[in-house]
């Protein structure tokens, strides 16, 4: 039985840098920067079946979501090449770029974002017309690009500037610049879109950035010079290539700890996984090969409550004929072998109360091996939320009180993650993320023990005033004024020029009827405030005469 395997190698071309795999997993495409070629690997048999001539110094490569084209940057010629995966031929190029390096395609396949390392810009290319449709100014020395799974944000590393730019892909503008990196190169977004991983090639750390508020929320110490990163399709593992130690580091995404350091590489550059996550492909820039290895053994999830009952999936190799799965010295409540590489198990209860890390041991026909560790932790509990509702725009800060909040890194609002600031074991604060809908969502937190209970939070549509009627009245006040708009049902204050209305009544979600207070002659702003603290101002003033 094996828990990790040494990489097999496939000879490709000189100085391979990037690897892109078709969505069906049948072919891998390798950019050979020293040879001006793209190698095509049949992943089923592990051999190069075609070599395609492209532009000078091919660097970044990506496959369109429909699997029809490979797009490759060519820094030496300032172009991006389009290669047909059907004919294995270069069918077109886009010129006008300046030392293009990294690139990424949007999930809908309509646009390419290309980092121009020689111009400090990102070019936007239409995949339909193969024309540049936009240029975005970013930081110094842009290198790699990753796009969030929802397609709304692109992240660009700047090796010379030590920053990461955040691009709004709807407006194609930079909306934030995240500082504090050490020669950042590779970037990768988790499948749930909540975290961005950044390789600090000038140091010994992989940084974790919250995509909710664009802040660095953690660092993972690794070996020398982490260059490029990738995340497993299930989001449980992060892979980082180490050019300084010719190795590949495997990180548990739940605990942010290094679980494996795999050797046998030669100045490794980009790493990627097959669509099912079962195999890793690593470009060995130093010896002109691609390393291929099975996914390292893993346990997912790797934490749960002391009472047991957590269903886990264990991946590795040699699981056929499994006769025993132990968590510490206690057998799993049940287990099932799905294949030679995968089994599922249900955790037993701890023999004592409290928290504890135990080894997970699998015995099969090939022998016995420790696959990893499972962390028994007490579940967090949240008892109270400081406000049960807020505007759909988010941005308001909530305080959550409860128990066992130490170690909580995130708060989830439905399926959206926000970074938590833990004040004590019983209190934390969180900035509410925005929502496109006015609705109620469950709010819960997680620590290494698992998921807490949930409380309800309601997103309320932001109030808006579309008109007032009449628009003028006597300075003595006492005029009835109808305020028309949207989402007015929670209005709890109406002012005219900062003076509270003599009285008001919420008639419906689109109408509030108010009585004007006395005021000196002249135009004044009409403002309503809702129970969430949001305000809305009428588009025209009310004029006292």
């Amino acid at each position: 039985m094996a828990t990790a395997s040494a990489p097999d190698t496939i000879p490709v071309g000189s100085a391979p840098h990037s690897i892109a795999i078709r969505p069906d997993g049948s072919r891998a495409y390798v950019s050979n920067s020293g040879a001006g070629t793209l190698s095509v690997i049949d992943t089923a048999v592990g051999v190069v079946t075609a070599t395609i001539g492209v532009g000078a110094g091919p660097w970044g490569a990506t496959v369109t979501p429909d699997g029809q084209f490979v797009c490759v940057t060519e820094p030496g010629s300032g172009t991006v090449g389009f290669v047909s995966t059907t004919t294995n031929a270069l069918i077109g190029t886009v010129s006008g770029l300046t030392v293009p390096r990294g690139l990424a395609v949007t999930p809908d396949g309509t646009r390419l974002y290309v980092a121009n390392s020689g111009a400090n810009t990102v070019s936007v290319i239409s995949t339909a017309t193969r024309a540049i449709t936009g240029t975005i100014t970013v930081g110094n020395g842009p290198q790699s690009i990753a796009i969030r799974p929802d397609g709304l944000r692109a992240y660009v590393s700047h090796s010379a500037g030590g920053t990461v730019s955040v691009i709004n892909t709807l407006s194609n503008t930079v909306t934030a610049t995240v500082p504090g990196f050490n020669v950042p190169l590779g970037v990768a977004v988790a499948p749930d879109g909540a975290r961005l991983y950044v390789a600090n090639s000038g140091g010994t750390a992989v940084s974790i950035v919250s995509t909710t508020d664009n802040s660095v929320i953690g660092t993972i110490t690794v070996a020398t010079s982490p260059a490029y990163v990738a995340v497993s399709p299930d989001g449980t593992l992060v892979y980082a290539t180490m050019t300084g130690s010719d190795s590949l580091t495997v990180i548990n995404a739940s605990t942010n700890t290094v679980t494996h350091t795999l050797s046998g590489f030669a100045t490794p550059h980009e790493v990627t996984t097959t669509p099912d996550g079962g195999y890793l492909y690593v470009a060995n820039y130093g010896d002109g090969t691609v390393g291929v290895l099975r996914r390292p053994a893993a346990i997912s999830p790797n934490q749960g409550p002391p009472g047991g009952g957590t269903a886990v999936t264990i991946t590795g190799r040699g699981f056929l004929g499994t006769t025993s799965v132990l968590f510490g010295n206690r057998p799993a409540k049940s287990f099932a072998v799905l294949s030679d590489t995968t089994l599922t198990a249900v955790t037993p209860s701890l023999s004592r109360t409290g928290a504890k890390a135990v080894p997970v041991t699998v015995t099969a026909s090939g022998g016995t091996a420790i696959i990893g560790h499972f962390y028994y932790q007490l579940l967090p509990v949240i008892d109270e939320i400081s406000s049960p509702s807020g505007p759909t725009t988010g941005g308001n800060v909530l305080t959550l009180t409860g128990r066992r909040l130490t170690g909580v890194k995130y708060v989830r609002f439905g399926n959206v993650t926000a970074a938590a600031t833990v004040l004590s074991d019983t209190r934390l604060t969180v900035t509410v993320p925005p929502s496109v809908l006015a609705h109620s969502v469950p709010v819960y937190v997680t620590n290494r023990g698992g998921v807490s209970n949930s409380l309800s939070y309601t997103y309320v549509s932001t109030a808006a005033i579309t008109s007032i009627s009449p628009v003028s009245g006597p300075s003595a006040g006492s005029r009835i004024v109808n305020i028309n708009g949207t989402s007015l049902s929670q209005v709890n204050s109406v002012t005219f020029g900062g003076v509270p209305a003599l009285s008001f009544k919420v008639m419906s979600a689109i109408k509030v009827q108010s009585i004007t207070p006395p005021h000196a002659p002249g135009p004044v702003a009409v403002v309503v405030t809702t129970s969430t603290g949001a305000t809305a101002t009428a588009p025209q003033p009310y004029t006292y005469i």
Side-chain angles (χ1 to χ4, degrees):
M1 179 181 300
T3 58
S5 57
D8 295 326
T9 56
I10 303 171
V12 284
S14 174
H17 168 75
S18 183
I19 304 173
I21 298 181
R22 271 174 50 164
D24 64 7
S26 64
R27 297 290 185 275
Y29 301 87
V30 185
S31 62
N32 302 304
S33 65
T37 60
L38 194 70
S39 294
V40 183
I41 297 174
D42 183 325
T43 58
V45 294
V47 297
V48 173
T49 58
T51 301
I52 306 164
V54 290
W59 197 250
T62 190
V63 177
T64 54
D66 61 7
Q68 296 300 304
F69 302 101
V70 184
C71 306
V72 55
T73 57
E74 299 149 350
S77 53
T79 55
V80 167
F82 281 73
V83 172
S84 167
T85 61
T86 301
T87 62
N88 286 335
L90 180 67
I91 60 172
T93 59
V94 179
S95 59
L97 306 168
T98 307
V99 196
R101 294 286 184 183
L103 81 169
V105 62
T106 54
D108 63 5
T110 60
R111 289 164 294 161
L112 278 176
Y113 285 75
V114 182
N116 294 295
S117 64
N120 299 335
T121 62
V122 167
S123 293
V124 185
I125 297 174
S126 166
T127 57
T129 63
R130 297 177 200 152
I132 296 174
T133 59
T135 301
I136 307 162
T137 300
V138 291
N140 192 8
Q143 292 292 327
S144 298
I145 300 180
I147 296 178
R148 215 163 65 185
D150 62 10
L152 297 179
R153 297 291 184 271
Y155 303 90
V156 187
S157 64
H158 309 120
S159 60
T163 60
V164 169
S165 288
V166 182
I167 295 173
N168 181 322
T169 57
L170 297 178
S171 62
N172 283 334
T173 58
V174 174
T175 58
T177 300
V178 187
F181 304 102
N182 188 348
V183 195
L185 284 183
V187 289
V189 182
D192 64 1
R195 299 169 307 284
L196 173 74
Y197 295 91
V198 182
N200 294 281
S201 68
T204 58
V206 171
S207 298
I208 309 169
V209 177
S210 166
T211 59
T212 301
D213 61 5
N214 299 318
S215 64
V216 177
I217 57 176
T219 56
I220 305 159
T221 301
V222 293
T224 304
S225 303
Y228 297 94
V229 287
V231 186
S232 64
D234 62 7
T236 61
L237 297 177
V238 179
Y239 308 107
T241 56
M242 304 290 140
T243 57
S245 58
D246 290 339
S247 62
L248 178 72
T249 292
V250 183
I251 297 165
N252 184 306
S254 297
T255 60
N256 294 332
T257 56
V258 174
T259 61
H260 298 81
T261 298
L262 307 177
S263 59
F265 302 94
T267 317
H269 276 212
E270 288 194 9
V271 54
T272 192
T273 77
T274 52
D276 64 3
Y279 287 85
L280 307 179
Y281 282 69
V282 180
N284 286 307
Y285 187 86
D287 68 2
T289 66
V290 168
V292 183
L293 68 160
R294 290 179 182 266
R295 169 184 168 134
I299 302 164
S300 177
N302 70 342
Q303 66 279 321
T310 302
V312 302
T313 298
I314 302 173
T315 56
R317 197 164 42 145
F319 291 153
L320 294 178
T322 292
T323 58
S324 171
V325 179
L326 297 178
F327 288 76
N329 59 2
R330 297 173 70 85
K333 285 185 176 180
S334 63
F335 68 86
V337 177
L338 304 183
S339 68
D340 186 63
T341 60
T342 307
L343 63 84
T344 59
V346 177
T347 62
S349 60
L350 261 185
S351 57
R352 61 178 180 82
T353 59
K356 184 180 181 181
V358 299
V360 178
T361 306
V362 176
T363 299
S365 55
T368 299
I370 295 176
I371 304 300
H373 285 77
F374 185 85
Y375 299 87
Y376 284 101
Q377 298 284 340
L378 297 175
L379 291 175
V381 175
I382 50 175
D383 298 319
E384 186 177 352
I385 189 168
S386 59
S387 176
S389 62
T392 55
T393 52
N396 49 315
V397 178
L398 300 180
T399 299
L400 274 61
T401 57
R403 291 162 282 159
R404 297 189 284 275
L405 300 182
T406 299
V408 169
K409 290 182 169 39
Y410 308 104
V411 177
R412 280 196 172 270
F413 291 77
N415 60 359
V416 179
T417 301
T421 300
V422 176
L423 306 178
S424 68
D425 195 56
T426 60
R427 293 176 67 242
L428 63 79
T429 60
V430 62
T431 300
V432 180
S435 171
V436 296
L437 298 174
H439 64 150
S440 294
V441 296
V443 176
Y444 55 93
V445 301
T446 60
N447 65 9
R448 287 172 64 176
V451 181
S452 72
N453 61 306
S454 65
L455 298 177
S456 180
Y457 181 82
T458 301
Y459 282 101
V460 180
S461 294
T462 303
I465 302 175
T466 56
S467 66
I468 58 173
S469 178
V471 296
S472 63
S475 58
S478 298
R479 169 66 63 90
I480 295 175
V481 174
N482 292 315
I483 301 171
N484 308 304
T486 57
S487 303
L488 301 177
S489 57
Q490 294 195 47
V491 166
N492 64 2
S493 170
V494 177
T495 61
F496 289 77
V499 180
L502 293 179
S503 66
F504 69 89
K505 182 178 181 180
V506 176
M507 309 299 290
S508 69
I510 61 173
K511 183 177 180 180
V512 173
Q513 193 172 81
S514 63
I515 298 179
T516 60
H519 199 284
V524 298
V526 179
V527 178
V528 298
T529 303
T530 68
S531 58
T532 65
T535 62
T537 302
Q540 69 269 65
Y542 179 82
T543 302
Y544 282 95
I545 55 179

